[in-house]
Amino acid sequence: MHYLFRSHQQLSNECFILTSQLNDLPVITQLRIFQAQEEAASTGISKDLCYVKELGVRGNILRLLPDQGSFLYSESLSHASCLQKLLSFNLSAIGDEEQLTMAQLGLDLGPNTYYNLGPELELSLSLVQTEPHVIDQATPKMGKMFTLQSVPWPQGVLHFNLLDVAKRNNDPHKNLGLFLEIVVKGGRALGENFQLEGTCARLRRSLHTSLLVVTLHPEQCRSPSRKRRAAVSTSKASCKSLCHRHQLFINFRDLGWHKWIIAPKGFMANYCHGECPFSLTISLNSSNYAFMQALMHAVDPEVPQAVCIPTKLSPISMLYQDNDDNVILRHYEDMIVDECG
């Protein structure tokens, strides 16, 4: 599936739902970006749909990839190695035509607090040279270490820029494999009451990892279409049978899509319907071809009359969860009918 872009102001109070399993910070970031798209749409402000202002990168597809790796349990903690974990992120959903512009690893070490401060932690990240899904958990083959950082604990969420690492990923299955190790610093200096095993157990329970990926699909980044002549509005139409826009709200629950779409709950798609008589062809925002077709219909009734169709469309955004539990924000062009002719 892909996303949606813009819905109308009528949806502003019902566009944001969040399931219990989607409560981490990157999802909130995606919701904020989605909300910014909604606000821009409701105020009529044009927005570059191929630039994520909140992240400062080019792109029109956002994916939140869950970690599919597992913990490695060592027999001894004598070296204060508190946690070892293989991180695996499936990048196979990214198409060959997409350009990777951002890959941000998020490590959530638990709530950040100034009370009950724990020991200082040393984090290291290394590449895994073996394919993540066939790694022998006892002896994983490690590559070069690219991050070594000391942080206090609890720390909250740490972010690491993995764009260069992801671009160099040559795994045939497009899985990005990393090795994370967290070491407790200080040793005996932490005091007699300090229990290493308890601290490590709490750290393993609180650790959550995810990868926020932004890509740019060039073919979907079209320049705005040329300005069309203003169509006759519904309120000014002299006859209800003339071609004009009609309201149509698409509710995702009616389609059974509410189970995987996070936001919006639906959108005002609208549709075009009505007659296009030759006498009003120009006033009804017609193309040159439609004008000639209407002219020929007046001469020869066997030529079909010009039909009422959308002449201006706008995009929408959609935040959804795919079959692999990835949370994705994507844009869909030409989803809302703005004008008819």
Side-chain angles (χ1 to χ4, degrees), residues 58-74:
R58 296 287 296 171
N60 58 343
I61 305 172
L62 283 76
R63 294 181 175 92
L64 180 61
L65 307 180
D67 174 24
Q68 300 177 354
S70 58
F71 287 100
L72 301 179
Y73 295 95
S74 59

Side-chain angles (χ1 to χ4, degrees), residues 26-27 36 49 88 95 157 168 170 192 201 235 245 258 264 277 285 290 294 328:
V27 175
L49 301 180
S88 177
V157 181
R168 293 197 302 267
N170 294 321
E192 297 180 357
S235 60
R245 184 184 65 180
H258 64 287
N285 196 24
I328 304 175

Side-chain angles (χ1 to χ4, degrees), residues 184-199:
V184 176
K185 301 177 66 175
R188 297 183 180 275
L190 296 172
E192 297 180 357
N193 295 328
F194 174 73
Q195 295 182 351
L196 179 61
E197 293 185 7
T199 298

Side-chain angles (χ1 to χ4, degrees), residues 242-243 275-282 284 294 305-306:
L242 292 180
C243 174
E275 299 177 359
C276 299
F278 171 69
S279 59
L280 293 177
T281 302
I282 297 178
L284 292 178
Q305 188 176 11

Side-chain angles (χ1 to χ4, degrees), residues 24-25 144 205 233 243 259 279 294 303 337:
D24 52 3
L25 184 62
K144 181 180 179 181
R205 288 194 300 269
S233 63
C243 174
K259 298 178 181 178
S279 59
V303 176
V337 175

Side-chain angles (χ1 to χ4, degrees), residues 110-119 152-156:
N112 192 0
T113 176
Y114 292 102
Y115 301 98
N116 300 322
L117 292 178
W153 186 66
Q155 172 63 29

Side-chain angles (χ1 to χ4, degrees), residues 34-90:
F34 179 86
Q35 184 177 12
Q37 299 277 4
E38 292 289 305
E39 291 177 351
S42 63
T43 56
I45 300 176
S46 60
K47 190 175 181 67
D48 185 354
L49 301 180
C50 294
Y51 178 74
V52 186
K53 180 181 178 181
E54 293 77 6
L55 300 177
V57 296
R58 296 287 296 171
N60 58 343
I61 305 172
L62 283 76
R63 294 181 175 92
L64 180 61
L65 307 180
D67 174 24
Q68 300 177 354
S70 58
F71 287 100
L72 301 179
Y73 295 95
S74 59
E75 297 180 356
S76 173
L77 294 175
S78 58
H79 298 291
S81 181
C82 196
L83 180 153
Q84 293 181 340
K85 191 176 192 297
L86 292 173
L87 310 182
S88 177
F89 301 100
N90 184 4

